[in-house]
């Protein structure tokens, strides 16, 4: 479970010291990974305006329905390729976990492409890894006493579970 103290992106920092200033527009994400983390935090907090603002105009949808956003509870950055301060493009591979109803969990495994334009990192697109019919998403039934797949180290029932 994400508390007010911890940033939803699972960086280990507080929200104030991590993604808050990026979401509020007080500072820009310095790397593609920082943008990925801030976008994950925006999804977790329902900040639709930020998501649209950081989506490249060539692929940005006209709107995002907040009712379609699941209860995200875990992010694991697997790898990055480029996307550093001096780069103009980057790749971030990640797994994101969301709690669904009836003890089920959704795991999204994606490789996302980012570009930097005018000093601003933007999300361009993502390719799901795994079950192509599900866009890289896997839905699993998780036992309440199993470790939570969000990576917290807690039991599912004490973390993301119902």
């Amino acid at each position: 479970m994400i508390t007010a103290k911890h940033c939803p992106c699972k960086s280990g920092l507080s929200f104030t010291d991590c993604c808050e200033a990026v979401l509020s527009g007080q500072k820009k994400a310095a790397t593609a990974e920082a943008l990925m983390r801030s976008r994950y935090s925006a999804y977790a907090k329902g900040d639709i305006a930020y998501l649209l603002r950081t989506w490249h105009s060539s692929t940005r949808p006209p709107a995002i329905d907040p009712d379609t956003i699941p209860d995200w509870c875990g992010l694991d950055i697997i790898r990055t390729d480029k996307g550093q301060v001096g780069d103009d493009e980057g790749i971030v591979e990640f797994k994101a976990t969301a709690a669904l109803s009836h003890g089920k969990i959704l795991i999204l495994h994606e490789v996302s492409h980012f570009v930097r334009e005018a000093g601003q990192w933007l999300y361009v697109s993502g390719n799901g890894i795994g079950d192509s019919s599900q866009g890289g998403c896997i839905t699993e039934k998780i036992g309440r006493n199993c470790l939570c797949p969000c990576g917290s180290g807690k039991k599912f029932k004490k973390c993301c579970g119902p």
Side-chain angles (χ1 to χ4, degrees):
M1 172 148 314
I2 298 167
T3 67
K5 291 188 241 175
H6 298 102
C7 191
C9 80
K10 301 288 184 172
S11 65
L13 300 172
S14 70
F15 180 61
T16 302
D17 292 335
C18 191
C19 291
E20 184 177 42
V22 178
L23 266 66
S24 70
Q26 292 176 349
K27 74 177 194 175
K28 294 179 181 177
T31 65
E33 180 180 340
L35 182 68
M36 172 64 229
R37 288 184 176 281
S38 68
R39 285 178 55 82
Y40 175 86
S41 292
Y43 272 109
K45 291 188 165 288
D47 189 343
I48 304 299
Y50 179 79
L51 293 168
L52 292 172
R53 191 168 62 249
T54 58
W55 207 313
H56 193 271
S57 62
S58 67
T59 56
R60 180 176 46 234
I64 299 172
D65 181 354
D67 294 334
T68 63
I69 298 174
D71 186 14
W72 293 107
C73 62
L75 177 66
D76 181 26
I77 303 293
I78 297 168
R79 72 176 174 92
T80 61
D81 183 15
K82 299 183 183 176
Q84 299 305 308
V85 173
D87 295 326
D88 288 328
E89 63 180 306
I91 302 289
V92 179
E93 181 180 352
F94 68 92
K95 285 186 181 180
T97 308
L100 303 175
S101 60
H102 307 302
K104 289 187 179 179
I105 209 96
L106 171 77
I107 301 171
L108 170 63
H109 186 178
E110 182 176 295
V111 175
S112 295
H113 180 237
F114 299 87
V115 296
R116 190 170 60 128
E117 292 181 352
Q120 171 74 46
W121 281 103
L122 300 166
Y123 169 78
V124 177
S125 63
N127 296 316
I129 295 179
D131 186 349
S132 61
S133 68
Q134 298 294 318
C137 294
I138 303 168
T139 304
E140 298 179 2
K141 176 93 170 140
I142 305 294
R144 290 175 47 77
N145 287 318
C146 293
L147 286 179
C148 190
C150 79
S152 67
K154 298 177 184 175
K155 288 185 179 181
F156 181 61
K157 68 183 178 185
K158 296 283 188 180
C159 191
C160 294

